[in-house]
């Protein structure tokens, strides 16, 4: 139990420190009355002169550029690119479809950046930190171990969490956060869970399933209550985080009781009945999910020491030529798009691997990281504005960081060797964690800004953009990983991940996002949902959970293909109703 509480402490501490540093130094929190949306008015603040930015398309083409440049509601508080100005000022009106197409491709590429960063850099460093701190790794993920509901959930939900934090930083985009969190919940509990049942019918683990779905229903009820009240106070934000900690403690106690019962039991579990995987099954999962290792087959007969230049070139090469020859065409096409991102990530983000003999120590590259990673961190804060700040009006901050990093890299290079891993190498896991987190945060900021711009162009609400594009983009990795696990014969593990991870995303995403907004001097977070749509969204999520809670036990936890098809039909119905509501076909009668 102590290990689980320690997991909670480190996850929340690392995330809070990361976001607080960026907020304090970079986020431009609006002062009272300086920037208030017409959708989220503050009491006592005049709204004269502030027009909804979505009205830009109703103006003459010659007036649109001046409108987006002068209207406060069209300004973005973060990010590197001004997408609205790009559409209406740099593209002629007749080329608007071209601009939208380019933005759509850029949005897909941003989702690719989020997925690659989280899977190959953020999660490995997070795992290395937990190993360095000697946190729990010995409980199977099927029962959602303390490690699974904290570090694993944080790693898998990083795009969702950072997107929510960015969206909550601006009242105009808070609807994106709620739409994405609720939309991802509906997607995972219907499409993913239903797809797993269709691919491989199975018997669900009864106790973990009931525990997770009850906690998830309680989390949805808490968020629903906040929407009904129209505001989130400090007490409620802390309550969301506290409720998640209570969930982790419950998982720890359930895991401990279950292990104690297993030790006391003299009856060997049958292969199909245990609710947790054995060690041999875990090894099979890891061996199946990892690609075939061609190292032994292609290892040279005579080994020779690599030079420093060869180590650097090999460490910066994101392409495995042996794997390239064995993969299908679609994998190669996707890899071509990944190569630039992976190269930049290898150049800026150190990765520590405790499972390797050398712990992924690459002396020339790690020394280069001591210069580039701090520089990247400096230029990422406040979208680069903080890095170009001049100390005393003479010397820029980025130059100081480069000089200090170069000195540290030189000392490290001459004090270490290529063949021996230094004792302080574990510190690179924390540097890699922080750098990859800011990569994700920067990409999430651009995603939120571009979605808001598309909403302005098409006059769509933030909620519908969140429950569709943002939810789909952030959940695509979970969909593929869960379906892969199901095909490999582990549907129960994939099904458990459908509920455990989204509890973290919803409670921590809303709780921490609102807490950061309140910490900037606001008394509370005002919520004004986009009419009937958000209630349709919350109601559908609640309905899917209630159906699962009732129907799964009635089927003796046997999940068949019929059940999976019903879940898919529920999601399609929800999507149709949500779009009809957005376009006004379904609406409430006004008295």
């Amino acid at each position: 139990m102590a290990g689980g509480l320690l997991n909670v402490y480190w996850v929340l501490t690392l995330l809070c420190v990361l976001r607080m540093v960026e907020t304090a130094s970079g986020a431009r929190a609006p002062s009272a009355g300086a920037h208030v949306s017409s959708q989220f008015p503050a009491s006592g603040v005049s709204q004269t002169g502030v027009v909804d930015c979505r009205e830009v398309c109703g103006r003459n083409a010659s007036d649109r550029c001046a409108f987006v440049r002068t209207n406060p509601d069209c300004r973005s508080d973060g990010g590197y690119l001004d997408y609205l100005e790009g559409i209406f000022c740099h593209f002629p009106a007749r080329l608007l479809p071209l601009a939208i197409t380019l933005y759509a491709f850029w949005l897909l590429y941003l989702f690719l950046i989020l997925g690659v960063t989280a899977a190959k850099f953020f999660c490995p460093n997070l795992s290395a930190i937990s190993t360095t701190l000697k946190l729990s790794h010995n409980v199977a993920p099927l029962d959602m171990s303390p490690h699974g509901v904290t570090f694993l959930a944080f790693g898998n939900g990083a795009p969702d969490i950072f997107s929510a934090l960015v969206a909550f930083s601006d009242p105009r985009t808070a609807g994106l956060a709620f739409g994405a969190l609720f939309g991802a919940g509906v997607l995972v509990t219907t499409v993913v869970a239903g797809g797993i049942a269709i691919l491989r019918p199975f018997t669900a683990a009864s106790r973990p399933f009931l525990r997770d779905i009850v906690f998830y229903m309680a989390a949805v009820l808490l968020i629903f209550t906040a929407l009904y009240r129209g505001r989130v106070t400090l007490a409620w934000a802390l309550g969301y985080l506290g409720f998640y900690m209570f969930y982790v403690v419950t998982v720890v106690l359930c895991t401990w009781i279950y292990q104690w019962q297993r030790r006391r039991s003299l009856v060997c579990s049958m292969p199909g009945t245990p609710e947790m995987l054995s060690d041999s099954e875990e090894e099979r999962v890891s061996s199946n999910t990892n690609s075939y290792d061609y190292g032994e087959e292609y290892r040279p007969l005579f080994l020779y020491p690599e030079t420093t230049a060869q180590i650097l070139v090999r460490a910066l090469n994101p392409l495995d030529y042996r794997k390239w020859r064995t993969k299908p065409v679609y994998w190669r096409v996707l890899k071509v798009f990944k190569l630039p991102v992976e190269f930049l990530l290898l150049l800026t983000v150190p990765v520590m691997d405790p499972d390797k003999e050398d712990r992924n120590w690459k002396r020339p590259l790690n020394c280069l990281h001591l210069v580039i990673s701090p520089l990247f961190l400096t230029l990422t804060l406040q979208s680069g504005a903080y890095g170009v700040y001049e100390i005393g009006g003479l010397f820029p901050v980025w130059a100081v960081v480069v000089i200090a990093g170069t000195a540290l890299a030189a000392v490290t290079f001459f004090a270490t060797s290529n063949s021996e891993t230094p004792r302080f190498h574990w510190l690179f896991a924390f540097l890699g964690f922080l750098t990859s987190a800011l990569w994700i945060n920067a990409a999430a900021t651009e995603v939120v800004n571009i979605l808001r711009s598309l909403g302005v162009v098409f006059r769509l609400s933030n909620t519908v953009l969140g429950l569709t594009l943002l939810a789909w983009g952030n959940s695509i990795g979970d969909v593929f990983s869960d379906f892969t696990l199901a095909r490999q014969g582990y549907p129960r593990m994939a099904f458990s991940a459908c509920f455990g991870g989204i509890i973290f995303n919803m409670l921590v995403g809303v709780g921490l996002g609102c807490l950061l907004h309140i910490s900037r001097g606001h008394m509370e977070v005002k919520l004004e949902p986009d009419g009937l749509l958000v209630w349709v969204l919350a109601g559908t999520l609640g309905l899917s959970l209630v159906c699962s809670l009732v129907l799964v036990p009635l089927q003796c936890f046997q999940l068949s293909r019929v059940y999976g098809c019903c879940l898919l039909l529920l999601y399609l119905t929800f999507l149709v109703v949500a779009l009809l509501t957005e376009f006004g076909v379904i609406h409430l009668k006004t008295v």
Side-chain angles (χ1 to χ4, degrees), residues 497-565:
C498 292
F499 294 94
I502 51 180
I503 296 175
F504 176 88
N505 294 346
M506 179 163 291
L507 290 174
V508 177
V510 175
L512 193 57
C514 294
L515 185 62
L516 292 174
H517 185 75
I518 294 172
S519 67
R520 296 170 185 166
H522 303 275
M523 296 298 297
E524 59 186 17
V525 179
K526 293 185 179 296
L527 305 176
E528 294 189 13
D530 297 313
L532 181 63
L533 180 59
V534 74
W535 305 115
V536 172
L537 181 57
T540 304
L541 179 56
L543 179 62
S544 68
L545 295 175
V546 171
C547 290
S548 296
L549 181 62
V550 174
L551 296 178
V552 173
L554 287 179
Q555 301 176 88
C556 298
F557 298 93
Q558 298 281 342
L559 301 186
S560 62
R561 289 188 172 90
V562 175
Y563 173 76
C565 292

Side-chain angles (χ1 to χ4, degrees), residues 18 22 122 162 376-378 380-381 433-443:
L18 165 66
E22 185 171 8
F122 187 79
F162 280 95
F376 176 81
L377 295 177
T378 305
T380 304
L381 296 176
F433 165 78
L434 187 61
T435 310
S436 58
L438 287 182
W439 261 97
I440 295 175
N441 184 70

